[in-house]
Amino acid sequence: MYNTDLPTRAELPSTGKLLRSTLLAAVIAFALLVTVVLPAEYAIDPTGAGRLLGLTEMGEIKAQLAEEAELDQANDEAAAMQASQPTAPQESASDNQPTAANTAAQQASDVEPEQVASSVSDQEMVQPEASLALADALAAEEAASQATEEAATWGDEVSFTLTPGEGTEYKLTMEEGAVATFAWASDGGPLNFDTHGDGNGNSISYEKGRGVPEDEGELEAAFTGNHGWFFRNRNDNDVTVMLRVGGDYGELNKVL
């Protein structure tokens, strides 16, 4: 047998070296936690490095998927509870019908022929006036709608199709306080969406929706950066989306 020589006391690392190595390892682990793990897993990016590396968007997608899964589970549990509850017997509407019919017949029999003739005459006089008022209201509404459509000028229009389970993201480059108008509509089924912004280490969520077929309004940038929409198709079929934007912004870019 061969005996392995044990290291001498001089060859062993000193306490100072062990402390320095431990401290260095802790610093490296903390740096990786802040710049890699938190942005990629939880969309938390205090340094902005995760956004530059594309890890923060990965974390945002994971958070969105987790939230959608929780909502799906909550809806399934609510539907199961509702289905398990016994339905109360409904009263038949026919039970009250004889009384109402008898009352109407009695009221009709109490009306004199002269009153009936007068009522018919008054109705014939009111109908032309009501028709004219309705026509004027429709014309005014149509004129207002046309004026609104003419006033709305879209800077960009984009159409895209999402397969079942697919998600995508479009964002506007905007300065702080800038206001952009938008309108989007889906063809083939409603969508889940998240209107949010990020940039320079900042992030914000403006609005979230589930099972929404369309939306429109204004988007005001809370800070200088990228602001827009994440769409996901939870239907069993393809869905085509038309997105229109206008107002004060730089560019419309597809992020995912």
Side-chain angles (χ1 to χ4, degrees):
M1 297 178 63
Y2 294 95
N3 294 324
T4 303
D5 295 333
L6 297 176
T8 64
R9 189 178 186 85
E11 295 174 341
L12 294 175
S14 64
T15 304
K17 289 183 178 180
L18 291 175
L19 290 176
R20 285 194 296 271
S21 299
T22 303
L23 181 61
L24 179 61
V27 171
I28 294 175
F30 179 76
L32 291 175
L33 174 66
V34 173
T35 59
V36 177
V37 178
L38 289 179
E41 296 295 331
Y42 306 101
I44 300 175
D45 189 14
T47 64
R51 183 70 58 183
L52 295 176
L53 298 175
L55 301 175
T56 304
E57 295 174 358
M58 184 187 303
E60 291 174 350
I61 294 175
K62 289 182 179 180
Q64 179 76 9
L65 291 174
E67 183 177 354
E68 292 178 357
E70 292 178 358
L71 290 174
D72 288 336
Q73 183 178 1
N75 290 337
D76 293 341
E77 292 177 354
M81 292 180 60
Q82 185 176 3
S84 63
Q85 292 179 354
T87 57
Q90 299 180 353
E91 295 182 358
S92 175
S94 61
D95 296 340
N96 298 326
Q97 286 181 356
T99 302
N102 293 336
T103 303
Q106 182 65 31
Q107 292 177 351
S109 64
D110 294 339
V111 178
E112 297 295 335
E114 293 81 6
Q115 294 178 347
V116 174
S118 177
S119 176
V120 172
S121 178
D122 294 340
Q123 186 177 3
E124 291 176 353
M125 294 177 62
V126 171
Q127 283 182 349
E129 296 178 359
S131 299
L132 292 175
L134 179 60
D136 293 340
L138 292 175
E141 183 179 355
E142 183 178 358
S145 177
Q146 291 178 354
T148 302
E149 293 177 356
E150 293 174 358
T153 56
W154 302 112
D156 287 286
E157 295 185 5
V158 60
S159 177
F160 52 92
T161 300
L162 299 176
T163 59
E166 184 182 6
T168 190
E169 187 173 16
Y170 281 86
K171 287 186 176 179
L172 305 171
T173 57
M174 301 177 66
E175 299 292 329
E176 181 178 356
V179 178
T181 57
F182 70 90
W184 63 264
S186 62
D187 182 12
L191 297 173
N192 297 348
F193 75 92
D194 180 5
T195 307
H196 62 281
D198 60 77
N200 300 321
N202 300 314
S203 62
I204 186 174
S205 178
Y206 296 106
E207 182 183 7
K208 293 182 179 181
R210 179 178 175 82
V212 180
E214 60 184 12
D215 191 20
E216 61 179 334
E218 292 184 346
L219 177 60
E220 181 176 356
F223 48 81
T224 300
N226 302 311
H227 306 266
W229 305 265
F230 175 81
F231 300 98
R232 183 172 295 280
N233 176 18
R234 287 299 186 186
N235 300 281
D236 296 331
N237 54 276
D238 293 352
V239 175
T240 301
V241 184
M242 172 62 73
L243 172 64
R244 297 180 175 91
V245 293
D248 187 9
Y249 68 93
E251 296 180 345
L252 173 64
N253 299 315
K254 181 180 179 181
V255 181
L256 295 176

